[in-house]
């Protein structure tokens, strides 16, 4: 695999500066993951931004009973990080792991910060990267604030059907905040 999705993403963030795109792409390091590989473990400080070229990552935490609670799935073309904790140097409450065999690009946070001070276009990139991540998180948050689990499932079914083909029912149920049996009942209801 190459870095086509990464380059496309970078071009979206810097349309007025195409000459900067290869420079920024050079700061990313490719990493191939097997299903279950952990790139950020709860209790660690997040050192990077992770761009998904192929496969998917999932962000989760363990509740007091030890069960994994999925809070986000990051598919191709998306970026994830625990930026708040990484920026502040505070250990993350979350784990980020490969949900399937994946190819990701890793951008070291300190390297990006250093380059931001050296090049104004990289500073623009950094701001737009964070803004893009914030907008995605805001949309995700609104989905969970405004809709019931059944409505969230129907939203995903309509707007992101590819997720339903790639995420296990157990992980999807956890993500929706319901148990697997309830998810099966929701899925069984046919919409007209």
């Amino acid at each position: 695999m190459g870095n086509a999705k990464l380059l496309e993403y970078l071009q979206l963030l810097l349309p007025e500066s195409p000459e900067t795109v290869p420079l920024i792409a050079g700061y990313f390091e490719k990493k191939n993951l097997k299903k279950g590989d952990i790139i950020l473990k709860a209790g660690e400080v997040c050192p990077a931004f992770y761009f998904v070229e192929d496969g998917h990552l999932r962000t989760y935490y363990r509740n007091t009973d030890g069960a994994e609670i999925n809070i986000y799935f990051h598919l191709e073309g998306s970026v994830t990080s625990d930026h708040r904790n990484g920026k502040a140097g505070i250990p993350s409450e979350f784990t980020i792991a490969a949900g399937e065999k994946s190819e990701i690009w890793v951008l070291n946070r300190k390297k990006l910060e250093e380059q931001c001070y050296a090049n104004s276009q990289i500073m623009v990139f950094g701001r737009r990267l964070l803004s893009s991540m914030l907008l995605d998180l805001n949309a995700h948050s609104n989905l969970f604030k405004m809709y019931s689990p059944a409505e969230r499932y129907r939203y995903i079914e309509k707007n992101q059907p590819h997720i339903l083909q790639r995420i296990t029912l157990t992980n999807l149920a956890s993500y929706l905040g319901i148990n697997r049996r309830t998810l099966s009942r929701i899925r069984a209801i046919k919409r007209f």
Side-chain angles (χ1 to χ4, degrees):
M1 298 260 166
N3 63 349
K5 289 185 181 84
L6 174 63
L7 291 174
E8 182 179 318
Y9 182 78
L10 296 177
Q11 289 166 356
L12 285 173
L13 292 182
L14 288 171
E16 72 287 347
S17 184
E19 69 282 355
T20 308
V21 168
L23 176 66
I24 294 172
Y27 299 142
F28 284 82
E29 293 182 31
K30 182 178 175 182
K31 189 166 187 175
N32 292 305
L33 305 171
K34 298 181 300 242
K35 181 178 180 176
D37 282 354
I38 294 173
I39 58 172
L40 176 66
K41 185 182 260 186
E44 297 175 345
V45 175
C46 185
F49 296 92
Y50 308 98
F51 179 85
V52 181
E53 182 77 27
D54 190 48
H56 78 270
L57 303 175
R58 67 184 183 101
T59 299
Y60 65 92
Y61 69 95
R62 292 193 184 274
N63 69 10
T64 54
D65 297 330
E68 290 181 359
I69 307 298
N70 293 288
I71 55 173
Y72 213 104
F73 298 105
H74 317 276
L75 280 71
E76 291 92 355
S78 66
V79 175
T80 188
S81 179
D82 191 344
H83 179 66
R84 183 181 70 95
N85 292 36
K87 180 73 174 161
I90 301 168
S92 180
E93 298 171 336
F94 310 111
T95 296
I96 303 174
E100 62 189 6
K101 180 180 173 185
S102 301
E103 181 181 318
I104 66 169
W105 292 94
V106 181
L107 176 59
N108 181 280
R109 178 183 316 282
K110 288 190 187 319
K111 187 171 192 171
L112 176 62
E113 287 177 8
E114 290 168 4
Q115 296 304 317
C116 282
Y117 295 112
N119 182 318
S120 63
Q121 281 306 116
I122 295 174
M123 177 71 81
V124 169
F125 162 75
R127 288 182 178 151
R128 288 180 182 169
L129 171 67
L130 294 177
S131 182
S132 173
M133 291 175 64
L134 181 61
L135 290 172
D136 287 346
L137 286 173
N138 188 45
H140 180 264
S141 176
N142 287 344
L143 180 66
F144 280 79
K145 289 176 189 171
M146 299 169 59
Y147 299 106
S148 70
E151 291 168 326
R152 290 193 294 265
Y153 176 81
R154 296 296 175 217
Y155 176 88
I156 292 168
E157 185 178 51
K158 178 181 178 185
N159 297 294
Q160 301 169 315
H162 53 282
I163 288 179
L164 302 179
Q165 299 163 1
R166 297 176 59 193
I167 307 301
T168 67
L169 288 181
T170 300
N171 283 340
L172 184 61
S174 164
Y175 173 72
L176 294 171
I178 56 179
N179 63 42
R180 191 171 164 161
R181 184 180 310 159
T182 301
L183 176 58
S184 294
R185 282 198 300 266
I186 291 169
R187 293 178 69 218
I189 296 171
K190 300 296 179 201
R191 296 182 49 138
F192 299 98

